[in-house]
Amino acid sequence: MALTWDDLAAASLARQFPSDPAPDLVGRLTETGPIQSQTARSPFLGLAARYPGTTREEVTEAYESGSVVRGSTIRGTVHTATPDQFAALGAATRVGQRTLWMRMLRLEHGTLEELWTATEAFATDWRSTDALEQHLHDWLVAREGRDDVTGQPAGRYLAFGHGGLVRRPVNGDWSGQGAPEYRFLPPATDPTLADAVRLHLRCHGPSSRQDVAWWSGLGLRHVDSVLDQVDGLVRDDGPDGRTYVDLAGAPAPRELAGVRLLPEFDALMCGYDPAGRVRFSEKAHLDRLWSGANGMVLAPLLVDGRITGYWRATGTAKRRPLEVTWFSRTRKPRRTELEAPVSALGAALGITVTDLSVEREVV
């Protein structure tokens, strides 16, 4: 019998919201996987939604100690991960982004591997974005006799985005959107694409080949090749005609009652191919949350394991109001259910919510 969307959701929720969580923050990030961090507050909120009681100070200390790191990796996005996870993401980044880099740089004499090695050698100490872009300019002029990319937005990304550099905020505020600086993080092991695919399945599965490809930035040909190399995978038919794969011995599916306030770019959205996100929400609701115009995402409201709205804590002050919006024809979150997630949000961001409004939106 084929899996239903509810079956897939329950299996994935068991990984993303473990019923028996690890005792420390690093273990918890290992359980649920890398957190997309285009917005700097997302790791704070994502961990607090899954592990209420997580504090701003706790996450900041993990960053400062290096037990978790942040850097530009798969799909050219920013992720927070453990060092081992970051190394696996880097392996996928170098393959998944290779065609884009080759098209933008049009190298005729040097190779991408030579550029990446030179960048890593330059960034053994912390370097600013400007310094890394100047290094890319100097390398291109020396090796290619030209520079067609620096000084442009794409050039700034190419200066640090190959998956080997971690970043930290210059102003020290890990939850803010301040300017970053970068340093090379040598991997403790030699990661492979199989490591990246296993990471995805362990934290997000069951997944279709399209889910793995979207999350990792790898082409379907690479995904198929890697899946063929991973032993012991479980395969089932899905509700959309796709085959879903998973690691053997996955945790038992679970229902998730109650309310959670998720961050922008949460794994329940970004861990899956767009067509596969309906395991957690209706397509119309997903379209409302994700703006095609600017690529930004409204912070999702999760009710009983379904994404049914969004929330905003407007402003930047330590004391601010919170607006919760639920979509028509979904269950309205009760104010009493919001007390715990609002408290978790406050502890994670170090803010006090002064007023709570709950409104319905017709979608």
Side-chain angles (χ1 to χ4, degrees), residues 158-190:
L158 293 174
F160 56 76
H162 70 286
L165 307 187
V166 296
R167 59 193 283 176
R168 69 179 183 185
V170 174
N171 67 3
D173 180 7
W174 286 93
S175 64
Q177 295 293 115
E181 57 185 4
Y182 298 82
R183 179 175 64 83
F184 174 51
L185 179 66
T189 60
D190 187 16

Side-chain angles (χ1 to χ4, degrees), residues 220-363:
L220 288 171
R221 180 173 58 85
H222 279 113
V223 170
D224 291 340
S225 176
V226 175
L227 289 174
D228 287 341
Q229 299 169 28
V230 178
D231 294 331
L233 291 180
V234 178
R235 300 174 186 269
D236 290 291
D237 294 331
D240 51 359
R242 294 175 174 178
T243 297
Y244 283 77
V245 298
D246 204 355
L247 300 174
R254 70 168 301 191
E255 296 181 355
L256 189 69
V259 178
R260 307 289 197 284
L261 301 177
L262 303 179
E264 302 89 345
F265 304 104
D266 189 79
L268 297 196
M269 297 180 69
C270 291
Y272 306 92
D273 175 68
R277 295 171 191 157
V278 294
R279 72 176 74 186
F280 296 120
S281 187
E282 295 181 18
K283 183 179 184 304
H285 298 166
L286 293 167
D287 291 343
R288 173 68 181 95
L289 292 176
W290 204 310
S291 171
N294 59 15
M296 293 304 295
V297 180
L298 295 172
L301 168 72
L302 189 72
V303 177
D304 298 336
R306 299 285 294 173
I307 295 173
T308 60
Y310 58 92
W311 62 271
R312 292 189 178 100
T314 56
T316 59
K318 290 292 185 181
R319 297 173 57 83
R320 66 183 84 163
L322 177 69
E323 304 167 0
V324 174
T325 301
W326 58 282
F327 296 139
S328 57
R329 301 185 304 279
T330 68
R331 184 172 80 75
K332 178 182 179 180
R334 298 184 292 274
R335 283 183 171 270
T336 53
E337 293 180 294
L338 284 163
E339 291 176 359
V342 168
S343 177
L345 179 149
L349 296 184
I351 66 171
T352 298
V353 173
T354 57
D355 183 59
L356 173 64
S357 63
V358 183
E359 304 291 341
R360 181 175 72 106
E361 179 176 310
V362 177
V363 176

Side-chain angles (χ1 to χ4, degrees), residues 5-289:
W5 288 121
D6 286 343
D7 292 334
L8 291 170
S12 298
L13 288 171
R15 293 64 168 329
Q16 285 296 305
F17 296 84
S19 56
D20 186 21
D24 61 278
L25 187 142
V26 174
R28 293 174 177 183
L29 187 60
T30 300
E31 289 176 333
T32 55
I35 299 174
Q36 189 162 324
S37 311
Q38 299 299 99
T39 53
R41 69 180 191 169
S42 288
F44 294 79
L45 293 171
L47 287 164
R50 288 157 172 81
Y51 309 104
T54 301
T55 65
R56 183 176 185 272
E57 292 75 19
E58 183 181 10
V59 180
T60 297
E61 170 56 29
Y63 276 126
E64 292 290 343
S65 68
S67 55
V68 302
V69 297
R70 183 187 294 175
S72 296
T73 56
I74 50 176
R75 306 188 314 277
T77 59
V78 181
H79 277 76
T80 291
T82 68
D84 285 345
Q85 290 173 341
F86 186 77
L89 296 182
T93 304
R94 288 167 173 80
V95 175
Q97 295 283 290
R98 186 179 186 85
T99 299
L100 174 65
W101 281 61
M102 291 295 293
R103 183 169 66 247
M104 289 193 292
L105 289 171
R106 298 185 296 111
L107 299 179
E108 297 175 350
H109 304 289
T111 67
L112 285 179
E113 285 73 21
E114 290 171 341
L115 171 58
W116 293 337
T117 298
T119 301
E120 291 164 359
F122 177 70
T124 53
D125 295 319
W126 290 104
R127 303 289 188 180
S128 68
T129 306
D130 288 343
L132 287 164
E133 189 172 19
Q134 182 64 46
H135 177 267
L136 174 61
H137 168 81
D138 294 343
W139 189 91
L140 287 171
V141 171
R143 297 303 301 270
E144 302 294 315
R146 57 175 172 78
D147 171 15
D148 305 326
V149 297
T150 60
Q152 306 174 40
R156 292 183 77 79
Y157 166 70
L158 293 174
F160 56 76
H162 70 286
L165 307 187
V166 296
R167 59 193 283 176
R168 69 179 183 185
V170 174
N171 67 3
D173 180 7
W174 286 93
S175 64
Q177 295 293 115
E181 57 185 4
Y182 298 82
R183 179 175 64 83
F184 174 51
L185 179 66
T189 60
D190 187 16
T192 66
L193 293 184
D195 293 326
V197 170
R198 289 191 192 94
L199 172 61
H200 172 83
L201 294 176
R202 186 171 68 251
C203 300
H204 301 286
S207 300
S208 68
R209 60 197 284 266
Q210 290 86 356
D211 291 330
V212 178
W214 195 95
W215 174 84
S216 65
L218 298 170
L220 288 171
R221 180 173 58 85
H222 279 113
V223 170
D224 291 340
S225 176
V226 175
L227 289 174
D228 287 341
Q229 299 169 28
V230 178
D231 294 331
L233 291 180
V234 178
R235 300 174 186 269
D236 290 291
D237 294 331
D240 51 359
R242 294 175 174 178
T243 297
Y244 283 77
V245 298
D246 204 355
L247 300 174
R254 70 168 301 191
E255 296 181 355
L256 189 69
V259 178
R260 307 289 197 284
L261 301 177
L262 303 179
E264 302 89 345
F265 304 104
D266 189 79
L268 297 196
M269 297 180 69
C270 291
Y272 306 92
D273 175 68
R277 295 171 191 157
V278 294
R279 72 176 74 186
F280 296 120
S281 187
E282 295 181 18
K283 183 179 184 304
H285 298 166
L286 293 167
D287 291 343
R288 173 68 181 95
L289 292 176

